[in-house]
Amino acid sequence: MDVLSRPASEFENDHSLELLWAEKAYEHAEVYFNMLCSVDPRYLNLTPHDDVIYRTFRKEFPDFDVAEVNEDELKSTAEKAKWRIFIEKFNKLENFSYGTLLRPRSSEEFSADNAILVVRIQFLAIEIARNREGFNDRWRKRPNPQKASTN
């Protein structure tokens, strides 16, 4: 019998894979935040396509508040439909649909209370906008917490 024709209920998630994914997502968040503390965010390029991502994002979501992302609104049925169209425009980008952690409140560091799961292209669109619109400037102006703890 072909394994793909079997009912999904016969399969279960591999918790070790979920843990590895969570570790990867956390590492990505940590690396990105350290970059914000080290480089002027206005000159930070996250992909070779930042200009297109930013223009498309602001054209399709002109009033989206990147400073304070409301998770309930972001994941509402209406917003999901709008985001699905946006996401599909970038389906050629590597890892565009990977799960990625985003800080809903740009004024705060990553923490258990300030992290939500989004699709990578959403993370890129929001963070590119934060960088270009000055919402991440505050992080460059303070010492990197990891550098301070290693001295």
Side-chain angles (χ1 to χ4, degrees):
M1 179 177 205
D2 182 25
V3 72
L4 296 177
S5 65
R6 299 176 66 126
S9 61
E10 292 183 15
F11 301 95
E12 57 184 72
N13 289 336
D14 183 339
H15 295 294
S16 63
L17 286 177
E18 289 179 6
L19 182 59
L20 286 173
W21 174 87
E23 287 175 10
K24 267 302 208 200
Y26 178 77
E27 286 172 12
H28 175 268
E30 192 174 49
V31 166
Y32 176 68
F33 192 76
N34 286 337
M35 285 186 344
L36 287 180
C37 294
S38 303
V39 177
D40 184 339
R42 291 176 191 259
Y43 302 107
L44 184 61
N45 285 318
L46 302 181
T47 77
H49 311 285
D50 283 13
D51 291 339
V52 173
I53 293 169
Y54 180 70
R55 278 194 311 270
T56 306
F57 171 66
R58 278 306 182 203
K59 180 180 175 194
E60 295 185 22
F61 298 92
D63 300 321
F64 190 93
D65 184 3
V66 295
E68 298 277 332
V69 176
N70 182 313
E71 184 176 14
D72 293 333
E73 286 178 23
L74 180 71
K75 296 183 178 182
S76 71
T77 303
E79 285 298 302
K80 280 184 181 179
K82 286 173 61 178
W83 276 104
R84 206 170 292 117
I85 294 166
F86 176 84
I87 291 166
E88 197 54 37
K89 291 179 181 182
F90 296 98
N91 67 5
K92 300 276 191 265
L93 293 181
E94 185 177 343
N95 305 331
F96 79 100
S97 65
Y98 278 23
T100 306
L101 295 176
L102 173 77
R103 294 171 298 128
R105 295 175 300 283
S106 65
S107 62
E108 298 176 23
E109 295 182 34
F110 274 108
S111 69
D113 294 333
N114 195 39
I116 59 174
L117 181 64
V118 297
V119 176
R120 171 110 2 125
I121 192 64
Q122 287 177 302
F123 166 85
L124 291 169
I126 293 166
E127 285 298 330
I128 290 167
R130 285 175 173 175
N131 292 343
R132 291 183 177 198
E133 295 169 14
F135 293 103
N136 281 331
D137 287 354
R138 72 172 9 104
W139 302 114
R140 174 75 169 105
K141 296 174 183 164
R142 75 175 191 74
N144 183 322
Q146 288 201 331
K147 286 182 184 174
S149 66
T150 57
N151 291 337

